[in-house]
Each structure stands twice: as C-alpha cells, then as structure tokens.
Amino acid sequence: MKKRLAWAAIAAAGLLVLGSLSAYGYYWRLQSAVHHEDVDKLLGKNRPKKLNDAQNIVVLGSDTRAGANARYGRGLRDKPPASDTMLMLHLSPGGGQAMGVSFPRDLMVPIPPCTRTDGSKSPGKPVAMLNEAMALAGPTCTVKTIEQFTHIHIDHFVQVDFVGFKSITTELGGVPVCVTGDVYDKNTGLRLTKGRHLLKGEQALAYVRSRHGFGDGSDTQRIRRQQHFFGAMAKRAMSGGVLTDPGRLNGLLTATAKSLTTDKQLTVARMLDLAQGMRDLSAGKLRFATVPSGPYALNKNRVQLVQPAANAFFAALRDDRTVPEPAKAPKAPPGTVRIYNASGLDGGARQVADELRNRGWKIAGVGNLGRRSAATFVRYGSGARPQADALAALVSAGRAAPRAKEAPGVVDLVIGTRFEGVKGTSIPLQQGESRASDAVCEKVA
C-alpha cells in the first residue's frame, strides 16, 4: 500500500512539474510574441513623478503597413508609421472609475528630442502635430511628448496595428453600433445600412478609420465616434465576462500578441493583472473625453490646447485619488431626483445623472434650462427633505430649500456654472464627455 502511495505521489509531482513547464512554455511563447520597447531606458529619469496608485496607460493605433497591414496601402510601406488614434486610459485607485482621454492627432504641441531604439536621436520641434512623434522616434517618443505637456506620469503604453485591432473585435464576437442612415465610404470600404449592426474584423476597422459619410467629416467627429465604439467594446468585454475569465483573456492575448508593442514592464502577466483589476468596473463608470482643445490660431485645420481648462484637467488626472465622502454628510437613503443643466456644459445633466444613478438614486428626468445660473441648488417636495439635504451635501449646493410646486417625494437639482462635481468623483466633467453605458446612434451626413 505504501509503495502504491509513493508511486502515486511521484506521478502527481511529475504531472505538476510537466503542467508548470507547459504553462511556462505557453507564457514564454505569448510573452515572446509581443514586441517591447524599454521605455525606462529610452526616457531616462527626467520624467513627471508618480503621485499615487492611479494607472495611466497610453493606447496607440499604429498605421504601419508592415506585414499583413500592407493591404491598407502598399504604397505607404516605406512611410514611418504614425498614430492617428491616441488615447490615455486613466484607472483611478481602487477601480472605482476609469477614463479614456483622447488626444487629437493634429494637436499642435512641442515635441522633445527623443532617443530611438537603435540609440540614434531625433531632433525636437518647437511645435508640431502630436502624431508626428511616433514617426520621428516610435511610440516611446509619443509617451515622452504627452508626459511633457500634461506633466502626467505614464505607467505603460500599448500600440496595436490594423491586424491586431481586427483580431480584438473578432475575439469579442463583434461590437454593437448604430447609424442614423446608410453609410458608404469609398476610402475605407465601409458600407452600412441605417440601423444597428454588430461589427468585427474588417468592418470594425473600416468603421473606426472612416471620416467621410459621418457628421461633418472632421477628425474631431471621428474621435467622438471612436470613443463611442471603444465604450461599446469595453461594455461588451465587461458584460461578456472577458475580464473575469482567464481563458478568454488568454485567448484575446493569443490572437493579438503579434500585433502588439508595449513597454518592457507591461508583461503578459501584468496585462492580465490590470484586466482583472477592472472586473468590478461598470460601464457607467468608464468615461471618455477629449482633452480641452480648439482651433489652432495659425491654421484652422489644426487644434491647440485651450487654457486654463486643459491644465486644470491634467491636474485633476495627475492628482486623482479616491475622495471619501464627508463624515458629517446627512444620512438618508437615495431618493428620486430630476436634474436640470444651467451650466452651459453640453450633456452636463446626463453626466451627473450617471454619477447619481451609480450611487443608487432614481433619475426621474434630465433637461436643460434656458438660462444659465452660477449657483448650484437643490429644491424638494413634501416628504423629501432628508434626501434633499443629503444630495445638497453631496454636490456642495448649500442648503436645500422646499418648493411648494414640487412633486411630493421628488428632489430637483440645478447644476450651475460653478458646479464642482459629485463628491467622491475626483475628475470633473468635460465638454462632450460620454460613457461606455451610453447607447449612441451616430449621425450620418
């Protein structure tokens, strides 16, 4: 009997060793398939300080025509790849919220001198389009440029090419979109009929690349549409259990590994860790916004940062912390609220509604007031004073006041131009902001 137990133990140990070697071999193959750049070595030590536990990951879309990407422009195979899609994913500490921040490709900014992977140097430019940084010295130069004008420490970057993007959408089983009319873009080959579609592979790539046939055809319009698409993609991953299923995560990485370039520290294990760290994030807490920008003074076809709004936004991202609600805030269960926007900020009432809905409030309606108000204030109907007082404290609105014409049990919130946001949300609302939970039907020209 003892001999049989001994042999069983040896066999079990052997299986464990073989299993671990197999897993290690799988991990090694996957890790080896991803291209890496040593960002820490290329950038050196003169970088913004990391102030907290928030993670900032720059996601770049590469227009390289190398390999299988050549089908999207064989005549461009010798052109240094640029990035027309640049988004920083900001993950707040504790996983309570996340934000995708888009940088326009033609944002005019200083590009610093950069070190290429072969050790050569690229010259700096006092002002140039942001997407030129990659063409000058690769994705690390884009990271350096963004760090320079935002003063935000970038923890990681991920660069994906056309083939990789197609693989991601296919592995997710498609991404839902909606258009208000028929679409045909001869430049990308996109053909869609009016209504809803589930896009993957070639169609998904054509959709995010397309400019003609949508809205005003501008890059700003395309950025908004890409944000909505990325939000729908994230919602698909969250609702489909991809972030909580190691097998599906591994499948996604396996399908895209050869199309990815990342910093050296972003290993496959780290990717899995970050993805699973977002498993409790809801679509309503994933926000998308574009950096505050407007027409460039010297060329209306380019854009520039709008100050002081841009620096204030960067400071909020840089200093992001989980902000506790005041200990002395009135205690009351969430109630029913109607939200009115008197701030002039597009979509302001809807964004506040999303925040309050995530905290258990029932939203009875949202709308815009015809006149602006500097102050933010709360009014309530009979029986709703406890909820009104709690809401007033939550939005720094001063003392809530009764209103005879108010519906019983209902609280009204009017947000003004000096509205600072819902407490516990450390990044203020931005113009044109959207969320992954939004159901958007894109306007066709």
Side-chain angles (χ1 to χ4, degrees):
M1 182 68 172
K2 289 182 178 180
K3 183 178 288 188
R4 287 199 298 270
L5 287 173
W7 277 111
I10 292 171
L15 287 173
L16 287 172
V17 170
L18 288 173
S20 64
L21 287 174
S22 175
Y24 177 79
Y26 166 79
Y27 172 83
W28 183 87
R29 288 193 302 273
L30 192 56
Q31 179 69 18
S32 299
V34 178
H35 305 281
H36 295 286
E37 284 194 11
D38 193 341
V39 171
D40 292 339
K41 179 180 177 181
L42 294 174
L43 294 188
K45 296 182 179 180
N46 188 22
R47 301 177 63 187
K49 291 183 178 179
K50 184 168 176 60
L51 303 178
N52 47 53
D53 292 332
Q55 291 287 305
N56 296 298
I57 304 167
V58 168
V59 181
L60 304 170
S62 170
D63 67 358
T64 179
R65 265 63 176 191
N69 296 286
R71 63 177 297 184
Y72 303 103
R74 294 185 183 278
L76 300 173
R77 282 181 295 182
D78 296 328
K79 181 186 80 68
S83 179
D84 285 350
T85 301
M86 290 167 283
L87 181 138
M88 182 180 74
L89 182 60
H90 175 86
L91 306 177
S92 293
Q97 65 175 347
M99 192 163 202
V101 180
S102 294
F103 297 91
R105 65 172 192 169
D106 49 4
L107 182 67
M108 303 302 288
V109 294
I111 297 181
C114 295
T115 303
R116 301 186 179 98
T117 53
D118 63 3
S120 62
K121 306 284 185 180
S122 68
K125 293 190 175 184
V127 62
M129 295 197 327
L130 177 57
N131 76 337
E132 290 185 32
M134 181 185 289
L136 288 170
T140 297
C141 193
T142 303
V143 170
K144 184 175 183 178
T145 303
I146 292 174
E147 283 194 342
Q148 177 176 273
F149 69 80
T150 65
H151 303 293
I152 296 171
H153 182 90
I154 305 301
D155 297 282
H156 302 291
F157 84 83
V158 177
Q159 176 185 296
V160 61
D161 61 23
F162 295 148
V163 173
F165 181 82
K166 291 195 304 180
S167 297
I168 292 171
T169 58
T170 300
E171 283 294 315
L172 289 176
V175 178
V177 303
C178 176
V179 292
T180 61
D182 295 346
V183 178
Y184 172 57
D185 181 354
K186 64 180 181 180
N187 294 322
T188 63
L190 178 67
R191 287 181 181 271
L192 293 176
T193 55
K194 177 182 177 180
R196 300 184 180 279
H197 300 268
L198 192 66
L199 303 185
K200 58 184 177 181
E202 203 70 52
Q203 272 194 314
L205 178 63
Y207 184 83
V208 296
R209 294 180 66 209
S210 179
R211 286 178 61 173
H212 304 285
F214 285 97
D216 58 10
S218 67
D219 191 53
T220 301
Q221 185 78 32
R222 178 168 62 175
I223 288 173
R224 290 272 187 95
R225 183 161 36 84
Q226 287 178 345
Q227 289 173 344
H228 299 156
F229 187 89
F230 296 152
M233 189 188 315
K235 184 177 180 180
R236 182 89 168 173
M238 293 173 188
S239 62
V242 175
L243 299 182
T244 57
D245 185 337
R248 293 196 66 187
L249 273 175
N250 284 335
L252 186 61
L253 285 173
T254 301
T256 59
K258 291 182 179 180
S259 298
L260 297 180
T261 300
T262 76
D263 60 281
K264 194 174 181 179
Q265 304 304 316
L266 189 56
T267 62
V268 170
R270 180 62 176 145
M271 290 181 200
L272 292 170
D273 182 55
L274 285 169
Q276 292 182 332
M278 296 171 63
R279 63 185 180 274
D280 295 327
L281 184 72
S282 66
K285 293 181 180 180
L286 175 54
R287 304 158 58 188
F288 289 89
T290 303
V291 295
S293 53
Y296 181 48
L298 301 180
N299 184 342
K300 66 179 182 179
N301 295 317
R302 304 286 181 261
V303 295
Q304 65 184 26
L305 295 174
V306 173
Q307 300 295 4
N311 283 344
F313 180 47
F314 297 149
L317 292 166
R318 186 169 56 245
D319 299 333
D320 182 23
R321 292 178 173 82
T322 302
V323 182
E325 295 180 16
K328 296 182 180 179
K331 300 295 183 182
T336 300
V337 60
R338 295 183 299 199
I339 305 167
Y340 298 96
N341 184 8
S343 70
L345 182 69
D346 289 347
R350 179 174 53 82
Q351 298 297 339
V352 174
D354 286 338
E355 289 288 349
L356 294 178
R357 187 180 290 108
N358 286 331
R359 295 166 186 248
W361 286 80
K362 180 180 178 180
I363 309 302
V366 297
N368 295 314
L369 294 184
R371 57 183 176 80
R372 292 194 183 187
S373 168
T376 294
F377 53 89
V378 173
R379 301 290 183 263
Y380 61 92
S382 61
R385 179 171 181 176
Q387 286 74 26
D389 287 342
L391 180 61
L394 193 59
V395 298
S396 301
R399 174 175 267 176
R403 189 166 183 258
K405 296 181 179 180
E406 192 67 77
V410 174
V411 179
D412 274 357
L413 168 64
V414 175
I415 58 173
T417 58
R418 294 202 298 263
F419 179 63
E420 297 179 354
V422 180
K423 290 181 180 178
T425 305
S426 52
I427 304 172
L429 298 174
Q430 299 299 306
Q431 188 81 21
E433 186 176 304
S434 64
R435 292 178 184 254
S437 55
D438 293 346
V440 181
C441 208
E442 304 293 347
K443 185 177 180 181
V444 175

